[in-house]
Amino acid sequence: RRVHGAAALKENKFRVLYTIPIGQNPSGATTSVERKREIYALACAHDLLIIEDDPYYYLYLEGSPPATYLSMDVEGRVVRLESFSKVLSSGLRLGWVTGPAPVVRQVELDMQGSCMHASGLSQAVVLALLERWGDAGWAAHVANVAALYRAKRDTFLQHLEQELSGLAQWHAPSAGMFVWIRLLELKTVMSLSHKRPEMRRCCLFRAMHFCLVWRHHQWFVHLTHWQHQMKPSLHWHVLQCC
């Protein structure tokens, strides 16, 4: 949604803007560079801190990723969060933060007061791997990961075209692993399950692959294309129940 100008900002006394600008979960949306410049200008005008949470940055699927808020920052008001979870291993539970030194220091103190620190073993493994790879090896790795997800996305969109054309609308995501779909016929989940009893079981047991959202008097479904091992028949069951 658009930020509605100075009056709304002053009235609500916002202090922080949190955003996932690339491949956002669940919508799959990516904020354009032009829109980022508009938002950053508003942040400067109204003294907002921008928390740029960008775990899908390296999963940009259409060439080079767009410029970050951090790259635009000239006032020290952007805190950028990144993660190894999407490109190395989700089990590492490891990421990094970049921003103004006082903010980063406070994050460090908060970590010490809550979980002490990220896993020492995860840190050691990632450090050894990055030292072995070097910059060129890291760049090659993330390019391979993006190529893998690009192939998954294209296959997933092909299934959508085959199975849901005329029943739903969607946009091909340019990054990440999520597809946001607007359902054209479904009025309520209960009406669906009454018409097709077998879908009640499908909704119950396949819920890990999607979620239904009621918004603006319409049903939307959020699907993920990251599980490339899924057989076409399972794709069909998941799409059917949505």
Side-chain angles (χ1 to χ4, degrees), residues 11-32:
E11 179 181 350
N12 290 283
K13 302 185 183 302
F14 297 121
R15 293 292 179 263
V16 175
L17 169 66
Y18 172 84
T19 179
I20 304 175
I22 293 180
Q24 194 264 349
N25 181 4
S27 70
T30 294
T31 307
S32 68

Side-chain angles (χ1 to χ4, degrees), residues 191-226:
S191 67
L192 178 66
S193 62
H194 287 316
K195 290 179 181 178
R196 299 287 297 276
E198 71 276 12
M199 291 185 182
R200 195 177 310 166
R201 178 176 58 83
C202 188
C203 287
L204 177 62
F205 291 105
R206 304 304 185 193
M208 67 178 68
H209 304 307
F210 71 92
C211 66
L212 286 168
V213 180
W214 176 254
R215 184 182 181 191
H216 302 311
H217 305 288
Q218 292 177 317
W219 281 105
F220 292 82
V221 62
H222 158 231
L223 294 171
T224 176
H225 60 77
W226 65 269

Side-chain angles (χ1 to χ4, degrees), residues 60-220:
Y60 192 74
L61 309 177
E62 305 295 344
S64 300
T68 65
Y69 284 106
L70 184 65
S71 69
M72 304 174 184
D73 189 20
V74 294
E75 295 190 359
R77 64 176 63 258
V78 176
V79 179
R80 180 171 171 79
L81 310 178
E82 298 180 74
S83 174
F84 290 110
S85 293
K86 311 304 179 185
V87 290
L88 286 182
S89 170
S90 57
L92 289 170
R93 316 311 300 166
L94 194 63
W96 68 99
V97 57
T98 309
V103 176
V104 174
R105 176 57 180 162
Q106 187 60 51
V107 170
E108 182 181 9
L109 291 174
D110 290 343
M111 285 282 290
Q112 292 172 358
S114 57
C115 62
M116 289 298 291
H117 53 73
S119 166
L121 178 60
S122 294
Q123 294 184 65
V125 168
V126 171
L127 176 61
L129 184 61
L130 294 179
E131 288 180 339
R132 181 182 180 86
W133 276 350
D135 291 344
W138 167 255
H141 172 74
V142 296
N144 288 337
V145 172
L148 176 65
Y149 277 90
R150 188 181 304 111
K152 294 179 183 180
R153 178 202 61 181
D154 293 345
T155 299
F156 194 80
L157 293 173
Q158 184 179 9
H159 279 287
L160 289 179
E161 289 287 349
Q162 292 172 355
E163 308 294 353
L164 289 184
S165 281
L167 300 175
Q169 295 176 344
W170 60 88
H171 296 285
S174 60
M177 55 184 72
F178 307 105
V179 181
W180 188 249
I181 300 173
R182 183 168 72 89
L183 304 176
L184 301 180
E185 299 296 332
L186 180 62
K187 301 302 182 184
T188 69
V189 176
M190 289 305 297
S191 67
L192 178 66
S193 62
H194 287 316
K195 290 179 181 178
R196 299 287 297 276
E198 71 276 12
M199 291 185 182
R200 195 177 310 166
R201 178 176 58 83
C202 188
C203 287
L204 177 62
F205 291 105
R206 304 304 185 193
M208 67 178 68
H209 304 307
F210 71 92
C211 66
L212 286 168
V213 180
W214 176 254
R215 184 182 181 191
H216 302 311
H217 305 288
Q218 292 177 317
W219 281 105
F220 292 82

